[in-house]
Amino acid sequence: MRLRTRLALAFALLALVPLAVMVPFTLTELRTTLSRGLDARMEGATASAQEAVERAAANARRAVEELVESSAMEDLAREARESPARAIRADTAQPLMKSRGLTVLSLFDRKGTTLSSGHLPARRGDPDPALFAVTKEKSPKPVPVKVAVRGDQGLREVPALVTARPVDYGDSRLWVVGGVLLDQGLAAHLSRLTGAEVALLSGDTVVARAGSVTPPTVARVLPLGEAATVRLVFSRAAEREATVGVFRSFLLLAGLGLSFAVLLGLLMSRRITQPVEALTSGARRVGEGAWDVQVQVKATGEVGELVKTFNHMTTELRSTTERLVATERVAAWQEVARRLAHEIKNPLTPIRMSLETLMAVQDARDARFPALFRESAGVILEEVDRLKRIVDEFSRFARLPKPQLEPVDLGELAQSVLSLYASPPEGISIHSEVQPGVVAKADRDQLTQVLVNLVKNAEEAMAKGGGALHVRVRGSEQEAVVEVQDSGPGIPPEHRARIFEPYFTTKEGGTGLGLAIAARILQEHGGKLDVGGEPGQGACFTLSLPRER
């Protein structure tokens, strides 16, 4: 849509401002008032439903307490102590349940065996774990549970509010567990009380439903523990009808005002859009790369100032853009240089250690010098090749090398890395626990880089106080795991969330790239790198990779 057309519409809409302000305000206030009234009614109805449920629970509790304290129950407990089979029969609980207005009643022995059940007589002699679990509740209030009852279609589970009380006679104890079912009767009572559509749910299953309302609707949920939920559905039909009536009146008035205002808007927009269209064309040319565009158009007021500002902006834009591009190029090369320096530093450590070992053996005129020379030369050549590969990849792509995946024995790799630390610093001991045959598909060079980095970090963490370094290799059916654990000061909890971020470091003079690179290597391998350990008791880095099949 052209600016001229938009301005014409803007003038038209401006003429409708009084109406557009007052009618939506009135509409909003009406909707708010109706919503408040409905919300208040829903809150009151929900509170009434809550009170009704609590009242049913309180009645059930009083009924169970009266039953437990009755002489009939005392006589039953005494007779049950002498002869349980004769005193308590399958039909014992049913008259007790009906006389107290209960719909759930079971008598249990100490072990939870059903002695008699009023709501399910066939349960006699069987355990009822869900119902007997109520005896473990510390609160005397009834709790919601699922109770098995027999209906027209066989056994089904219905939520109920039940409570438990013991009946002791001497060393004998009976448990009375009773309450009320949350069934169709309760749903109908709540629907009459609240004027809402009421549904009693057990999980996602509707146990009972009563009442109906006109859409649109809004629901309120009254949870009764994990066993049941009461859902109250209220109608918003009256609110919608009132809102629609006011909105139709607004549309009629808006149509009349808009027709008159469009004519005036078309006339005024022609005088305004010419310099704006010139600015649009100039901005488009700037977007195409013409940084020194100048708009030559006569304009006054704010639009004239905008033209002057635009011309000044394009003058400065070219020089600013050139400086910004140069700065970004320098920053990008600085980042590549920092990463490259960090990656080169790790291979230099084993090379230096190998050379120092050879010099020490030569000075000592040790007979093992030829064998150590061959072994160290192989290590040095391997590290030099890795250096060359890293430098080549950084110079070509300015990113981490793409992993060359092949089967790698992680136990053998870990021993190879630890051989570089055959002579650890004084006060530090190195231990390995390797499960044989743990093979993962990985880039051997990159995993070596990760392990060398982790072992080096562990040594540095224990440099002052000494300690033990443990390297463990284990595997399961799904993954291969390498753990590097030290007994240093550990990593504070506040640093763990950021320890794998690039350039985040707590070391003096550190770059913060080592662990970030290690984590990214593991990510590109389809694995992960985690950190654990308690602060003050060391750190444990866990390297996980998919298992090679």
Side-chain angles (χ1 to χ4, degrees):
M1 184 183 297
R2 296 181 61 187
L3 178 61
R4 182 174 299 179
T5 304
R6 292 181 181 180
L7 285 174
L9 292 178
F11 278 106
L13 293 176
L14 184 62
L16 301 176
V17 166
L19 186 63
V21 170
M22 293 303 298
V23 174
F25 175 76
T26 304
L27 190 65
T28 301
E29 287 297 315
L30 176 62
R31 186 183 296 112
T32 301
T33 302
L34 293 175
S35 296
R36 287 175 180 172
L38 179 61
D39 290 341
R41 186 169 68 87
M42 289 190 297
E43 293 298 329
T46 304
S48 298
Q50 177 75 43
E51 292 175 0
V53 173
E54 292 176 352
R55 188 161 51 250
N59 292 337
R61 183 183 69 179
R62 284 195 298 271
V64 172
E65 291 174 347
E66 291 173 359
L67 176 60
V68 169
E69 295 172 358
S70 66
S71 58
M73 201 65 216
E74 182 180 356
D75 295 340
L76 186 63
R78 182 178 61 254
E79 295 173 5
R81 182 171 180 264
E82 299 171 356
S83 177
R86 185 178 63 185
I88 301 178
R89 300 183 301 276
D91 59 351
T92 300
Q94 195 167 38
L96 295 174
M97 178 182 72
K98 292 182 177 179
S99 66
R100 302 293 174 177
L102 301 173
T103 51
V104 175
L105 183 64
S106 288
L107 304 179
F108 295 96
D109 62 11
R110 288 178 178 272
K111 298 181 179 180
T113 303
T114 304
L115 302 177
S116 181
S117 175
H119 60 280
L120 189 62
R123 182 72 79 177
R124 174 180 170 81
D126 296 331
D128 193 342
L131 204 55
F132 188 71
V134 181
T135 63
K136 309 298 183 183
E137 295 288 336
K138 296 180 180 180
S139 174
K141 295 183 179 180
V143 296
V145 297
K146 294 182 181 179
V147 177
V149 298
R150 185 174 297 280
D152 297 337
Q153 299 179 350
L155 285 178
R156 65 191 184 100
E157 288 190 338
V158 179
L161 294 172
V162 298
T163 186
R165 296 291 185 277
V167 180
D168 295 325
Y169 191 87
D171 58 351
S172 174
R173 167 169 283 193
L174 298 178
W175 279 100
V176 178
V177 181
V180 292
L181 293 173
L182 303 179
D183 53 10
Q184 186 65 35
L186 177 63
H189 173 67
L190 295 179
S191 179
R192 290 192 299 271
L193 183 66
T194 62
E197 178 183 321
V198 177
L200 299 179
L201 296 93
S202 177
D204 295 330
T205 303
V206 177
V207 177
R209 188 191 301 274
S212 61
V213 293
T214 304
T217 61
V218 61
R220 290 289 185 271
V221 176
L222 183 62
L224 302 178
E226 298 181 356
T229 302
V230 178
R231 185 175 64 197
L232 306 173
V233 181
F234 301 89
S235 174
R236 285 188 175 272
E239 176 188 353
R240 184 182 65 173
E241 291 176 1
T243 303
V244 169
V246 174
F247 186 68
R248 287 175 178 171
S249 300
F250 166 71
L251 289 181
L252 178 61
L253 294 174
L256 295 175
L258 185 62
S259 300
F260 174 76
V262 165
L263 297 176
L264 180 63
L266 289 174
L267 296 176
M268 297 296 297
S269 62
R270 291 180 181 178
R271 299 184 60 183
I272 299 176
T273 56
Q274 185 178 0
V276 176
E277 289 173 354
L279 285 171
T280 303
S281 176
R284 185 181 298 110
R285 292 179 60 192
V286 170
E288 294 171 353
W291 309 112
D292 53 353
V293 172
Q294 297 289 302
V295 173
Q296 304 297 333
V297 65
K298 294 182 178 180
T300 59
E302 288 80 1
V303 177
E305 291 296 325
L306 180 60
V307 171
K308 294 179 181 178
T309 303
F310 179 86
N311 291 334
H312 178 71
M313 177 196 68
T314 56
T315 302
E316 298 292 331
L317 183 61
R318 183 181 184 87
S319 59
T320 302
T321 303
E322 291 177 352
R323 289 195 301 269
L324 180 60
V325 169
T327 302
E328 290 179 348
R329 186 181 298 112
V330 171
W333 278 108
Q334 286 177 343
E335 180 180 355
V336 171
R338 284 195 297 268
R339 288 179 177 268
L340 182 60
H342 187 85
E343 291 302 312
I344 291 176
K345 185 178 179 181
N346 286 337
L348 291 178
T349 300
I351 292 175
R352 180 182 180 88
M353 292 179 63
S354 298
L355 292 175
E356 289 177 348
T357 301
L358 288 176
M359 292 174 64
V361 172
Q362 184 183 29
D363 293 342
R365 300 184 181 277
D366 196 318
R368 297 176 300 165
F369 179 78
L372 289 175
F373 178 80
R374 286 192 298 273
E375 180 181 350
S376 299
V379 171
I380 292 173
L381 289 175
E382 182 179 351
E383 296 301 325
V384 169
D385 289 339
R386 187 152 65 95
L387 276 173
K388 182 177 183 301
R389 179 181 171 186
I390 290 173
V391 172
D392 290 344
E393 291 292 336
F394 265 99
S395 62
R396 187 179 302 117
F397 302 112
R399 62 174 176 82
L400 288 174
K402 185 177 181 180
Q404 305 296 320
L405 302 181
E406 60 181 4
V408 176
D409 188 322
L410 296 186
E412 184 273 330
L413 178 65
Q415 295 290 9
S416 174
V417 171
L418 291 181
S419 67
L420 302 176
Y421 298 87
S423 300
E426 184 178 355
I428 297 178
S429 59
I430 298 179
H431 309 274
S432 62
E433 301 174 21
V434 176
Q435 175 184 333
V438 179
V439 179
K441 196 168 186 180
D443 187 308
R444 182 182 181 87
D445 291 342
Q446 291 190 2
L447 283 191
T448 300
Q449 175 185 343
V450 172
L451 287 179
V452 168
N453 195 330
L454 295 179
V455 172
K456 179 175 176 293
N457 287 345
E459 278 198 347
E460 292 177 351
M462 299 183 293
K464 294 183 179 180
L469 170 64
H470 294 268
V471 178
R472 306 181 186 92
V473 178
R474 54 184 173 84
S476 63
E477 293 184 1
Q478 301 296 330
E479 64 179 5
V481 177
V482 181
E483 293 181 351
V484 179
Q485 182 177 10
D486 63 69
S487 57
I491 299 173
E494 62 271 16
H495 290 167
R496 294 189 181 184
R498 301 187 57 201
I499 196 168
F500 297 118
E501 293 181 5
Y503 309 117
F504 177 80
T505 181
T506 58
K507 297 180 183 179
E508 184 176 354
T511 63
L513 284 175
L515 291 177
I517 293 173
R520 181 177 170 186
I521 288 175
L522 266 296
Q523 182 181 7
E524 292 185 355
H525 279 71
K528 61 181 179 178
L529 181 62
D530 296 320
V531 61
E534 296 295 330
Q537 301 180 12
C540 180
F541 287 86
T542 303
L543 182 158
S544 303
L545 286 170
R547 188 75 179 266
E548 170 69 7
R549 299 186 179 276

